[in-house]
Amino acid sequence: MKLTESLRKELRVTVDYTNMTDKYLGDKGISAKTLDSHKKLARAAHAYVSENRGRDELFMGWTELPYNQSAIVADILATAKLIRRKFDNFVVLGIGGSALGPAMAYTALCHLHYNDLPKSKRRGPKFFVEDNVDPVRMKQLLDVIDVTKTCFNVISKSGATSETMAQYLIISDLLTKAGVNIKENVIFTTDASRGNLIKISEELGGVKRYVLPDGVGGRFSELSPVGLLPAAVLGIDIKSLLKGAAYMDKLCKSPDMRKNPALMCATLQYIAMQDGKNIGVLMPYSDNLKYVSDWYAQLWAESLGKNVTLDGKACHVGQTPVKALGVTDQHSQVQLYTEGPFDKVVTFLSVGSYKEKTPIPHGCENIPDVAFLGGHTMEELIKAENKATAYALTKAGRLNYTICLPEINEFTLGQLLYLFELQTAYAGAMFNIDTYNQPGVEAGKKATFALLGKPGYDLQKRDLNAAEADPAYII
Ligand code: PA5
């Protein structure tokens, strides 16, 4: 994408927080006075994030990903070209931060029925992200791919995640049985120096490997090789994705929340959370953006859901992310959002111009209830419904705001991802928590190790076995 300065401005992602304000929501809205009273906190959060940019030891390496990867990008593009030539399928084996990003970018930037397109109309091999250990799913994936013609990108920072490593064991066994040298069909994306995938790679005589930098945690890794390799294989313009992120970084330089969209979103959400709005709905009006909600849910929930502040005080903060899709969920969840408890903030993701307009032909002229639709386009319809839902929520006194992508492409998606990452970093700083750890997730990982007999977890295994369900409570 040739990004002139005027095209960048045209494609700028914006935040419209009109419907968060008391001007439009009355006493249910946030006043300018309340915003002003959070200025100091917002400035401090901005300062914390700016001063610690790129610091690996704080897991803030993600801030620099738009700038420090030119050699890696060149390598990824060359590798992607080879993969496209050689393989019929590309399968990501990973989970959490090692899978949600690739799945989100695929859905956002590829044809919605990509795998069903004939080969001549696809820019790359068929694409699958296997982020579960549902045995049926694994078996049924194997029903539709030929492993010998498949490139498996095993993504795991630790190389110790049971789900991913179980998948790896299955596919490496299948490849060996099919007479394939594993290293021909496998690419690892993993930590720089630690982790089992490095050892495995060495045992196999050197598997192609990409590095997930030390200071980049899983949920902040989409703009690292974790997301860039799968995207490049799909023919996604990864340079524009990174340029979009850098552009949003530039738009968020100011410590003044009114001039910094990510800081404004973080401050609004922080104020709302302090007022008991413990649910954050993300509602894209686009099927392409549907999985942005899954990616964001992890980023927001795993980063902010914490029980202790950095100075050791108990806190129990966080906001439960809810995934909704416009317009589909207008016909289900929106009833609750409009009339249920005042415990939510709804964030709409709107699209300025959709890739397709899809005209609605005239017809049913004798039935006014239907005929009025003729002559419009589906783009007009979805945009009208987006506006109508925001209007209805506002009339009902419900906090909502809109992030608008002028169109969906690599440059705007890059902006959106970086906006959410910065918003999360600012919000974490406001709560004074460790935004980058995940002891709750790791507790589950360790309990799984114990249950499946990993050495060193005997004590926990005993504890878990003692916690068997009590028959007295099974009905
Ligand atoms: O954000 C996180 O850290 C987690 O969701 C991890 O990405 C997830 O648990 C997978 O871990 P790993 O990449 O080590 O396999």
Side-chain angles (χ1 to χ4, degrees):
M1 193 182 296
K2 197 164 178 326
L3 288 159
T4 59
E5 206 38 48
S6 75
L7 184 59
R8 284 169 196 258
K9 282 191 187 141
E10 227 174 87
L11 292 176
R12 176 178 173 166
V13 170
T14 55
V15 174
D16 174 357
Y17 65 99
T18 308
N19 298 341
M20 295 291 282
T21 66
D22 61 344
K23 196 169 165 195
Y24 293 86
L25 287 185
D27 63 358
K28 296 283 187 294
I30 297 171
S31 66
K33 199 170 151 208
T34 303
L35 269 181
D36 287 341
S37 69
H38 287 80
K39 247 185 193 170
K40 207 171 144 200
L41 185 69
R43 279 184 180 269
H46 179 272
Y48 178 84
V49 174
S50 309
E51 281 158 20
N52 292 307
R53 285 185 70 101
R55 285 185 62 186
D56 283 350
E57 68 280 21
L58 295 179
F59 272 93
M60 286 192 58
W62 61 269
T63 58
E64 305 315 296
L65 293 174
Y67 311 106
N68 61 9
Q69 298 189 96
S70 44
I72 295 164
V73 165
D75 186 301
I76 284 176
L77 289 173
T79 305
K81 206 169 162 186
L82 291 177
I83 292 170
R84 283 202 296 269
R85 205 173 299 149
K86 189 168 163 200
F87 293 103
D88 289 349
N89 309 295
F90 186 85
V91 177
V92 171
L93 301 180
I95 196 163
S98 297
L100 289 161
M104 174 269 299
Y106 164 58
T107 316
L109 298 171
C110 294
H111 191 288
L112 288 169
H113 298 283
Y114 175 86
N115 280 350
D116 297 327
L117 291 172
K119 203 171 178 181
S120 59
K121 295 209 168 149
R122 277 188 271 117
R123 288 179 293 183
K126 287 190 180 180
F127 188 79
F128 304 87
V129 178
E130 293 305 303
D131 65 348
N132 202 354
V133 281
D134 180 330
V136 177
R137 176 164 162 186
M138 189 70 194
K139 168 69 181 61
Q140 293 185 354
L141 170 76
L142 297 171
D143 288 342
V144 297
I145 62 168
D146 174 349
V147 290
T148 65
K149 292 183 184 151
T150 302
C151 177
F152 294 92
N153 186 192
V154 186
I155 308 180
S156 177
K157 191 172 172 75
S158 60
T161 302
S162 304
E163 295 86 345
T164 309
M165 297 319 293
Q167 290 171 331
Y168 170 72
L169 289 173
I170 291 171
I171 67 98
S172 55
D173 179 55
L174 287 173
L175 286 170
T176 308
K177 283 180 178 151
V180 176
N181 185 345
I182 296 172
K183 72 178 185 184
E184 295 299 321
N185 286 45
V186 160
I187 294 179
F188 291 160
T189 306
T190 192
D191 196 82
S193 51
R194 288 162 292 158
N196 298 320
L197 287 180
I198 295 175
K199 280 184 230 151
I200 296 172
S201 161
E202 279 155 14
E203 273 167 21
L204 292 173
V207 170
K208 175 77 182 164
R209 213 161 74 199
Y210 286 101
V211 169
L212 172 49
D214 271 349
V216 179
R219 57 191 175 272
F220 286 84
S221 68
E222 172 53 15
L223 297 172
S224 78
V226 167
L228 296 181
L229 176 65
V233 168
L234 288 162
I236 290 170
D237 174 1
I238 57 174
K239 288 185 179 167
S240 295
L241 195 67
L242 293 169
K243 282 181 189 158
Y247 187 61
M248 182 52 68
D249 190 20
K250 190 170 143 199
L251 296 176
C252 295
K253 285 290 176 224
S254 174
D256 176 351
M257 65 173 103
R258 290 184 173 85
K259 295 185 184 143
N260 177 336
L263 191 56
M264 177 53 87
C265 293
T267 310
L268 290 168
Q269 292 280 14
Y270 177 84
I271 294 169
M273 282 186 253
Q274 298 295 74
D275 189 35
K277 310 289 188 284
N278 292 324
I279 298 173
V281 178
L282 187 61
M283 189 163 181
Y285 270 74
S286 157
D287 279 70
N288 285 114
L289 299 179
K290 186 173 175 181
Y291 289 103
V292 170
S293 303
D294 290 68
W295 174 83
Y296 170 78
Q298 187 208 17
L299 180 71
W300 195 238
E302 207 172 338
S303 300
L304 299 190
K306 300 290 153 69
N307 64 7
V308 66
T309 63
L310 285 173
D311 38 22
K313 295 193 190 104
C315 63
H316 301 287
V317 294
Q319 190 187 49
T320 305
V322 169
K323 301 174 275 180
L325 179 67
V327 306
T328 309
D329 283 302
Q330 276 179 218
H331 299 267
S332 65
Q333 299 185 42
V334 165
Q335 172 60 32
L336 172 72
Y337 303 165
T338 315
E339 295 191 355
F342 285 86
D343 56 0
K344 298 171 198 70
V345 178
V346 177
T347 306
F348 294 110
L349 292 184
S350 298
V351 179
S353 174
Y354 289 75
K355 253 185 250 145
E356 308 290 344
K357 311 297 168 199
T358 314
I360 305 170
H362 289 283
C364 304
E365 298 299 341
N366 297 329
I367 309 172
D369 277 358
V370 178
F372 77 97
L373 293 166
H376 289 290
T377 62
M378 288 190 93
E379 183 189 58
E380 285 173 335
L381 181 59
I382 195 170
K383 287 171 84 167
E385 295 204 38
N386 187 172
K387 193 170 175 180
T389 304
Y391 169 83
L393 286 180
T394 306
K395 284 282 162 199
R398 309 303 165 132
L399 293 172
N400 68 94
Y401 66 99
T402 296
I403 301 175
C404 181
L405 283 73
E407 56 185 62
I408 300 170
N409 59 36
E410 287 87 342
F411 187 65
T412 56
L413 187 71
Q415 289 181 65
L416 183 69
L417 303 187
Y418 207 83
L419 171 78
F420 280 143
E421 289 178 348
L422 267 180
Q423 170 194 317
T424 304
Y426 291 143
M430 288 178 194
F431 281 117
N432 190 31
I433 52 167
D434 186 341
T435 309
Y436 303 100
N437 68 358
Q438 53 282 325
V441 168
E442 272 143 31
K445 286 190 182 187
K446 286 178 192 151
T448 306
F449 295 157
L451 282 171
L452 292 186
K454 183 170 171 175
Y457 291 83
D458 305 347
L459 260 179
Q460 193 167 7
K461 186 168 186 175
R462 243 173 280 148
D463 197 39
L464 273 157
N465 287 339
E468 288 287 304
D470 185 336
Y473 298 104
I474 301 176
I475 53 171

